[in-house]
Amino acid sequence: MTTSGDTQNPKDAPKAGLKSAEDALSELKAHQAVVSDLSQAQAVLSWDENVYLPAGAAAARGQQLATLSKVIHERATDPRIGEWLELLESSNAADTKADTDTKADTDTDKTALLRETRRGFDHATKLPGEFVETFTRARSAAQSAWVGARAASDFSQFAPHLEKMVELNLRHADFLGFELHPYDALHDLYEPGSSTDKVRAVFAELRDATVPLVRDIAERGRDVSDAPVRQTFPEAEQEAFGVRMAAAFGYDFEHGRLDRTVHPFATSFSKYDVRITTRYEPGFLNPALFGTLHEAGHAMYEQGISSDYDRSVLGQAVSLGIHESQSRLWENLVGRSRGFWRWAYPQLQETFPEQLGGVSQDDFYAAVNKVEPSLIRVEADEVTYNLHVMVRFELELALLEGALKVSELPEAWNAKYKEYLGVVPPNDAEGCLQDIHWSIGMMGYFPTYTLGNIMSVQLFEAAKAAQPTLETDLEQGRFDGLLGWLRENVHEHGSRYQPTELLKRATGSDLDAGPYVAYLNKKFRALYGVEGDGADK
Amino acid sequence: MTTSGDTQNPKDAPKAGLKSAEDALSELKAHQAVVSDLSQAQAVLSWDENVYLPAGAAAARGQQLATLSKVIHERATDPRIGEWLELLESSNAADTKADTDTKADTDTDKTALLRETRRGFDHATKLPGEFVETFTRARSAAQSAWVGARAASDFSQFAPHLEKMVELNLRHADFLGFELHPYDALHDLYEPGSSTDKVRAVFAELRDATVPLVRDIAERGRDVSDAPVRQTFPEAEQEAFGVRMAAAFGYDFEHGRLDRTVHPFATSFSKYDVRITTRYEPGFLNPALFGTLHEAGHAMYEQGISSDYDRSVLGQAVSLGIHESQSRLWENLVGRSRGFWRWAYPQLQETFPEQLGGVSQDDFYAAVNKVEPSLIRVEADEVTYNLHVMVRFELELALLEGALKVSELPEAWNAKYKEYLGVVPPNDAEGCLQDIHWSIGMMGYFPTYTLGNIMSVQLFEAAKAAQPTLETDLEQGRFDGLLGWLRENVHEHGSRYQPTELLKRATGSDLDAGPYVAYLNKKFRALYGVEGDGADK
């Protein structure tokens, strides 16, 4: 800390005994660095919990994580943060006014830092301790009940907990504040700058295109068999091939690793250590293969954040939708594309000569792109996936509005599946009990999956426009051009720009379902031999 | 917190706004529970660092660990601890005086809690922040220099750092305080209640018995070959056999796991999660086999601590010597015994029929017990191991006393190896640069290895006296009697009793090298066919 003349005049001294805005900024950054380290430590414990925890250690690990949460929360709500922010916000407003035209990168960073800090601090301090504790305990009980209810396929075991979750989410929204709809406050936690109305609008456009596409494929599409991917594939070879493809994409194993788990995920302990997990089904190639590419997509985003933002709030991914755009881009727009398999399929055939030696590239491409309305979201194909998300969005909205009672959820769920997908779950385990989200109190989260899909195509189209050779590059196993474009336009910015601004800067557009609809129609109408684009249905 | 009448008279109110000793105790315990959770989190990050960290993540992990250390240190030096302690110590002294004859377990626990808390708090607060920081930075530099020096076998690269370590250890001892020798203060960090004089005395007795035993074996002993354990043993089978034996001993895999690492260790994240690691040499059976049994011995101690001490300072192992007594007991007194191999060898032969099908049980027993003076401590047999420790103890004492200059260390090291073991290191990498301890600032630590060996025999003899069938049990693969005795007499107490008191309660004796000397003479004179017990040489 340097001293300044200000200290000689106590009347000018800002709060918290600070000497200047410069000092406040460096103190704030030092404070955030500690919180960042502790949060990363917490992520290590969670990773270990999911990957390597001995069976009998669950309660002890829960206690360790609870203590870390509490210690982090104490620091994240330190009143000095509010004082630093007040000082810096007024100083920054003055600077910006005086200096609008010459705004440099460092000014953008500072503004972004204040925005993200304010957002996190307000969120943390708006919630009374009593509420946080009640919510934590209720979530823990709800998750246990959900596990039991799903195993028994008995919604009544989970219903009272879901009622509690609806009530607590409404209280949560009240504490955070909102103008139009409590869902706005909740959804904003996961996708800053988005809103219920925006989601409604893009979902409507997507639904109007998807439902006829699914119908055309079902009624008039040619037969596509997934038999090629439903053979016996030994795990070691599945893993070796997945690792080879992820590394080819650009996932950096020097700063990451792949482990096995029941519910795959990616997690970051700083950009220097971003880990992915997957699970292997010996009788089905898709889960581990596309799961690995998906998680590698998430991980490459985190690995690509600028090192300028190490230990800073700006070093975090900016939203779940942007995160999902990266995983889906690598999983689907690359990993399920015809061009990619021109390069990759001969290698896969070499890995599995007995299983795939006699399967043509066309048949394999069709097999990994088979469209089939199904019951389970996480197993859904590209076309039907978003219908699963829409069902959840509409139902959680109705629950929060009170238009739907919890007791009516199973019936409403099944009716929507019948309407959108033409299938009806035979039981609640395969119906409204399939996802963990509501049991851990997450409402407003589901739409980000579809927002990610939509943005993945907007970003991919922009990358293609910027790099005319991109598609032939992919056909030849050259992924560095695409990754480089994503690094420069998405990854490195961390939380520097809000999602909407990031998307606009990268693509020139706002959120737009159009390119995604066009992509789905083009790819799947060609594959299934059904003409039209569904627009006139 | 309950309120008490005391609050109505402010003059009686103790410091820190406390209402009663009872409140102080519960506040102290709650505070320690948080520190315990954070320390366990730190242990998880260290485990991961050693076992699964990606190559490029070392600096980030170092930063996370440094922050956790700082956060833990802040809490461990919270001035409220001093206030709680003052209140509780005076209240406890009064209680103890009034009630000496009816001291119940809970009183012992309370007294132990105050003793361990006082010990930790005084240690943490006696060191100025400036010193802790200097020491931390110097250690970090010294460790890096040591890695380089060892790789280049160039002592001169490490010498200035070792000088710094000697100086800082002396300052450390000054801060802690001591009566006779600075070594007392340092050694006490690892073995409370021990002292330089005690170590000198038992080491002298042990040396006087070991040197002639080694000489007799070398000069007159029969030839013993370790060829049976020097064959090719595939790793997967080595691992499976190690796991089977560790589980048979009683290491609980529901609350632990075995992973691979370069430098094997055991670590505890609470008694519910105690993990071990090992390394496999495809051409040598001993390192992984006896390493796994050794680490399982450490781990069973931690797994056996009473759950009454969860999240308490009493839930920690009481000393490194006691810890080592448990690992060596299972590794050597059980794992290298004739009786154990009566039961285990047929199973090992089944695991490795090609390698061991034609090797007799006697030849195998001899092979795993071959005595051979060597250069490297961690590879030494039971007989010569302690001579390696004595060399280090004497040299670090001489360095701290100023009787030996750092520049003279290699020469002094080689002279002692010649004198005690009859071998001379061809270079410093295999000489005075082989151990990490001094590079990370640990002086006073080495003797605990030999104290552990000595106590392992004292404890084993006491267990045999208490359980007449113990030896025949081991021959039949029944280990629960031995483990049960250790649980009851050692493990469950955690830090309830000081090491000396624990040993006395368990064995009826003080530290005594006699049983260990008798054990070595009996076992190895029989194996090598050299009469006598060395006492009259």
Side-chain angles (χ1 to χ4, degrees):
Chain A
M1 302 298 117
T2 55
T3 54
S4 86
D6 286 348
T7 53
Q8 292 167 341
N9 184 351
K11 281 183 297 180
D12 292 345
K15 288 184 197 174
L18 296 175
K19 297 180 180 68
S20 67
E22 204 181 306
D23 285 353
L25 187 61
S26 71
E27 288 185 25
L28 174 64
K29 283 180 172 176
H31 184 87
Q32 288 187 342
V34 170
V35 174
S36 169
D37 291 339
L38 293 173
S39 303
Q40 291 169 354
Q42 192 180 31
V44 175
L45 266 68
S46 294
W47 170 85
D48 178 76
E49 183 180 37
N50 282 292
V51 180
Y52 289 124
L53 198 74
R61 178 54 49 86
Q63 180 62 61
Q64 291 151 3
L65 283 166
T67 293
L68 266 172
S69 280
K70 207 178 150 193
V71 167
I72 291 167
H73 183 75
E74 276 169 24
R75 288 182 183 252
T77 54
D78 188 326
R80 288 178 304 164
I81 300 173
E83 294 165 12
W84 289 322
L85 275 173
E86 271 177 46
L87 180 75
L88 288 164
E89 282 163 349
S90 54
S91 140
N92 202 50
D95 287 358
T96 310
K97 215 179 217 166
D99 199 28
T100 311
D101 296 335
T102 60
K103 233 175 161 184
D105 269 9
T106 49
D107 293 326
T108 313
D109 278 358
K110 191 174 154 194
T111 304
L113 183 77
L114 297 184
R115 183 195 67 230
E116 291 297 316
T117 306
R118 169 59 70 191
R119 180 180 158 82
F121 182 69
D122 284 356
H123 178 231
T125 52
K126 276 178 180 171
L127 305 180
E130 164 274 322
F131 174 74
V132 172
E133 216 171 291
T134 304
F135 203 1
T136 304
R137 269 204 307 274
R139 271 200 302 256
S140 183
Q143 201 193 340
S144 294
W146 169 74
V147 169
R150 193 169 77 148
S153 195
D154 176 6
F155 181 72
S156 71
Q157 292 180 24
F158 181 55
H161 296 275
L162 183 55
E163 272 164 21
K164 191 87 191 159
M165 284 301 128
V166 171
E167 179 206 322
L168 289 168
N169 268 283
L170 285 170
R171 282 185 65 197
H172 194 178
D174 281 338
F175 286 125
L176 298 174
F178 57 88
E179 284 181 23
L180 296 175
H181 199 291
Y183 199 88
D184 286 336
L186 302 172
H187 179 52
D188 187 79
L189 293 170
Y190 310 110
E191 199 63 26
S194 183
S195 70
T196 314
D197 283 346
K198 283 188 192 174
V199 172
R200 274 200 184 108
V202 289
F203 277 24
E205 184 179 352
L206 190 52
R207 186 174 47 234
D208 290 348
T210 306
V211 172
L213 175 59
V214 172
R215 195 192 50 217
D216 287 355
I217 289 171
E219 290 175 1
R220 300 187 286 121
R222 72 177 180 95
D223 269 350
V224 163
S225 166
D226 63 358
V229 293
R230 298 271 188 187
Q231 304 180 69
T232 300
F233 298 96
E235 291 188 16
E237 285 75 24
Q238 284 197 53
E239 182 174 81
F241 186 78
V243 165
R244 194 165 154 196
M245 293 301 109
F249 282 180
Y251 172 63
D252 175 4
F253 280 91
E254 284 286 300
H255 296 99
R257 49 180 291 122
L258 170 65
D259 294 274
R260 298 175 180 210
T261 189
V262 180
H263 301 290
F265 62 96
T267 183
S268 168
F269 320 143
S270 86
K271 66 169 289 188
Y272 307 101
D273 192 356
V274 189
R275 304 188 186 182
I276 61 176
T277 64
T278 195
R279 70 184 170 89
Y280 298 91
E281 282 190 29
F284 190 19
L285 192 65
N286 290 8
L289 174 54
F290 294 104
T292 300
L293 303 185
H294 180 95
E295 302 306 339
H298 279 305
M300 286 188 283
Y301 177 18
E302 300 272 356
Q303 288 182 333
I305 293 173
S306 167
S307 59
D308 293 348
Y309 301 151
D310 286 352
R311 306 177 74 213
S312 157
V313 287
L314 296 185
Q316 296 169 0
V318 74
S319 79
L320 292 186
I322 297 291
H323 230 308
E324 192 74 3
S325 77
Q326 300 307 293
S327 57
R328 298 294 269 182
L329 187 152
W330 290 102
E331 175 195 357
N332 290 332
L333 302 186
V334 179
R336 281 191 170 90
S337 73
R338 204 180 272 280
F340 167 70
W341 285 110
R342 285 213 180 99
W343 172 75
Y345 192 59
Q347 301 174 61
L348 187 65
Q349 284 181 307
E350 259 177 55
T351 309
F352 298 111
E354 278 180 43
Q355 297 89 330
L356 299 175
V359 176
S360 75
Q361 199 176 116
D362 278 351
D363 285 348
F364 181 80
Y365 170 76
V368 298
N369 282 296
K370 182 178 169 66
V371 175
E372 193 170 41
S374 65
L375 298 170
I376 307 295
R377 176 182 59 85
V378 297
E379 295 169 3
D381 58 81
E382 275 186 274
V383 177
T384 60
Y385 185 90
N386 302 295
L387 299 173
H388 294 261
V389 173
M390 289 172 199
V391 168
R392 288 153 178 76
F393 169 65
E394 291 169 24
L395 292 175
E396 63 185 4
L397 213 51
L399 286 170
L400 289 167
E401 285 169 347
L404 179 69
K405 286 187 200 143
V406 164
S407 59
E408 300 162 346
L409 178 69
E411 204 183 327
W413 180 284
N414 294 353
K416 285 237 180 262
Y417 264 76
K418 173 85 178 150
E419 181 188 349
Y420 288 175
L421 287 146
V423 292
V424 179
N427 55 56
D428 292 336
E430 294 172 78
C432 64
L433 286 173
Q434 71 184 260
D435 296 300
I436 196 176
H437 303 59
W438 293 337
S439 83
I440 52 173
M442 286 175 157
M443 297 189 151
Y445 183 117
F446 281 119
T448 65
Y449 291 121
T450 290
L451 297 179
N453 285 332
I454 290 170
M455 291 190 286
S456 74
V457 176
Q458 289 186 266
L459 291 165
F460 194 65
E461 296 297 335
K464 280 198 291 191
Q467 301 189 348
T469 64
L470 192 141
E471 290 193 285
T472 51
D473 285 347
L474 299 185
E475 287 175 17
Q476 287 159 36
R478 290 198 301 266
F479 305 100
D480 54 336
L482 175 59
L483 181 60
W485 188 91
L486 291 169
R487 285 264 188 272
E488 197 181 319
N489 289 279
V490 180
H491 303 178
E492 69 177 33
H493 299 299
S495 289
R496 178 185 174 96
Y497 303 117
Q498 289 281 277
T500 42
E501 188 182 354
L502 185 75
L503 185 70
K504 184 96 180 192
R505 294 176 71 100
T507 68
S509 307
D510 294 323
L511 181 73
D512 179 5
Y516 186 51
V517 166
Y519 159 77
L520 289 179
N521 272 311
K522 187 175 170 204
K523 175 174 178 178
F524 290 95
R525 288 186 182 277
L527 176 60
Y528 276 90
V530 286
E531 78 287 3
D533 62 1
D536 54 352
K537 299 282 149 56
Chain B
M1 304 294 119
T2 56
T3 54
S4 84
D6 286 350
T7 53
Q8 291 168 342
N9 184 353
K11 280 183 294 180
D12 292 343
K15 287 184 195 172
L18 296 176
K19 299 184 179 67
S20 67
E22 203 183 309
D23 285 352
L25 186 61
S26 71
E27 287 184 25
L28 174 63
K29 284 181 172 176
H31 183 87
Q32 288 186 343
V34 170
V35 174
S36 168
D37 291 339
L38 293 173
S39 303
Q40 291 168 356
Q42 192 180 29
V44 175
L45 265 69
S46 294
W47 170 86
D48 179 75
E49 183 180 37
N50 282 291
V51 180
Y52 290 123
L53 198 75
R61 179 54 50 86
Q63 181 61 64
Q64 291 151 3
L65 282 167
T67 293
L68 265 174
S69 280
K70 207 177 149 195
V71 167
I72 290 168
H73 183 75
E74 276 168 24
R75 288 182 183 250
T77 55
D78 188 325
R80 288 178 304 163
I81 299 173
E83 293 164 12
W84 289 322
L85 274 174
E86 272 176 47
L87 180 74
L88 287 164
E89 283 163 348
S90 54
S91 138
N92 202 48
D95 288 357
T96 310
K97 217 179 217 168
D99 199 25
T100 312
D101 296 333
T102 59
K103 235 175 161 184
D105 269 11
T106 49
D107 293 325
T108 313
D109 278 359
K110 193 175 154 193
T111 304
L113 182 77
L114 297 184
R115 182 194 68 230
E116 292 298 315
T117 305
R118 169 60 70 191
R119 179 179 158 82
F121 182 68
D122 283 355
H123 179 232
T125 52
K126 276 177 179 172
L127 305 179
E130 164 274 321
F131 173 75
V132 172
E133 216 171 291
T134 304
F135 202 1
T136 303
R137 268 203 308 273
R139 271 200 303 255
S140 183
Q143 200 193 341
S144 294
W146 169 75
V147 169
R150 193 168 78 147
S153 195
D154 176 5
F155 181 73
S156 71
Q157 292 180 27
F158 181 55
H161 296 277
L162 183 55
E163 272 164 21
K164 193 84 191 160
M165 284 301 128
V166 171
E167 178 206 323
L168 289 168
N169 268 282
L170 285 169
R171 282 185 66 197
H172 194 178
D174 281 338
F175 286 124
L176 297 175
F178 57 88
E179 283 181 25
L180 297 175
H181 198 292
Y183 198 88
D184 287 335
L186 303 171
H187 178 51
D188 187 78
L189 293 170
Y190 309 110
E191 199 64 28
S194 184
S195 72
T196 313
D197 284 345
K198 283 188 194 177
V199 171
R200 274 200 183 107
V202 290
F203 277 24
E205 184 179 351
L206 190 53
R207 186 174 47 236
D208 290 349
T210 306
V211 171
L213 175 59
V214 172
R215 195 192 50 217
D216 287 355
I217 289 170
E219 291 175 2
R220 302 186 287 121
R222 71 176 181 94
D223 269 352
V224 162
S225 164
D226 64 357
V229 293
R230 298 272 188 188
Q231 305 180 70
T232 299
F233 298 96
E235 291 188 17
E237 284 76 24
Q238 284 197 53
E239 181 173 81
F241 186 77
V243 165
R244 196 166 152 193
M245 293 301 110
F249 282 0
Y251 172 62
D252 176 4
F253 280 91
E254 284 286 300
H255 297 98
R257 47 179 293 121
L258 170 67
D259 294 275
R260 297 175 182 211
T261 189
V262 181
H263 301 290
F265 62 96
T267 183
S268 168
F269 320 143
S270 84
K271 65 168 290 184
Y272 308 101
D273 193 355
V274 189
R275 305 188 186 182
I276 62 177
T277 65
T278 196
R279 69 185 171 88
Y280 298 91
E281 282 191 28
F284 191 18
L285 192 65
N286 291 8
L289 174 54
F290 294 104
T292 300
L293 303 186
H294 180 96
E295 301 307 340
H298 279 306
M300 286 188 283
Y301 177 17
E302 300 272 356
Q303 288 183 332
I305 294 173
S306 167
S307 59
D308 292 349
Y309 301 151
D310 285 354
R311 308 177 74 213
S312 157
V313 286
L314 296 186
Q316 295 169 359
V318 74
S319 80
L320 291 185
I322 297 291
H323 230 309
E324 193 74 3
S325 77
Q326 299 307 293
S327 58
R328 298 295 268 181
L329 189 152
W330 289 102
E331 176 194 357
N332 290 333
L333 303 187
V334 179
R336 281 190 169 91
S337 72
R338 204 180 272 281
F340 167 70
W341 285 111
R342 283 211 183 100
W343 171 75
Y345 192 57
Q347 301 173 62
L348 187 66
Q349 284 181 308
E350 257 177 56
T351 309
F352 297 114
E354 280 179 41
Q355 297 90 331
L356 298 174
V359 176
S360 73
Q361 199 176 113
D362 278 352
D363 284 350
F364 182 80
Y365 169 75
V368 298
N369 282 296
K370 183 179 169 67
V371 175
E372 193 169 40
S374 65
L375 298 169
I376 305 297
R377 175 182 58 86
V378 298
E379 295 169 3
D381 57 80
E382 274 185 273
V383 177
T384 60
Y385 185 90
N386 301 296
L387 298 173
H388 293 262
V389 173
M390 289 173 199
V391 168
R392 288 153 177 79
F393 168 65
E394 291 169 23
L395 292 174
E396 63 185 4
L397 214 51
L399 286 170
L400 289 168
E401 285 169 346
L404 178 71
K405 284 186 201 147
V406 163
S407 60
E408 300 163 346
L409 178 70
E411 205 182 326
W413 180 285
N414 294 353
K416 285 237 180 260
Y417 262 77
K418 174 87 177 143
E419 180 189 349
Y420 289 174
L421 287 146
V423 293
V424 179
N427 56 57
D428 292 336
E430 294 172 78
C432 64
L433 287 173
Q434 70 185 260
D435 296 301
I436 195 175
H437 303 61
W438 293 337
S439 82
I440 52 174
M442 286 176 159
M443 298 188 151
Y445 183 117
F446 280 119
T448 64
Y449 290 122
T450 290
L451 297 180
N453 284 333
I454 290 170
M455 291 190 285
S456 75
V457 176
Q458 289 186 265
L459 291 165
F460 194 65
E461 296 297 336
K464 280 200 290 192
Q467 301 189 347
T469 63
L470 192 142
E471 291 194 284
T472 51
D473 284 348
L474 299 185
E475 287 176 18
Q476 287 160 37
R478 288 198 301 266
F479 305 99
D480 53 335
L482 175 58
L483 181 59
W485 188 90
L486 292 168
R487 285 264 187 271
E488 197 180 321
N489 289 280
V490 179
H491 303 178
E492 70 177 30
H493 299 301
S495 289
R496 178 185 176 98
Y497 304 116
Q498 289 281 278
T500 42
E501 188 183 353
L502 185 74
L503 185 69
K504 183 94 178 195
R505 295 176 70 101
T507 68
S509 307
D510 292 324
L511 182 72
D512 179 4
Y516 186 50
V517 166
Y519 159 77
L520 289 178
N521 272 310
K522 186 175 169 204
K523 175 173 177 179
F524 289 96
R525 288 188 183 276
L527 176 60
Y528 276 90
V530 287
E531 76 290 0
D533 64 0
D536 54 354
K537 302 280 148 61

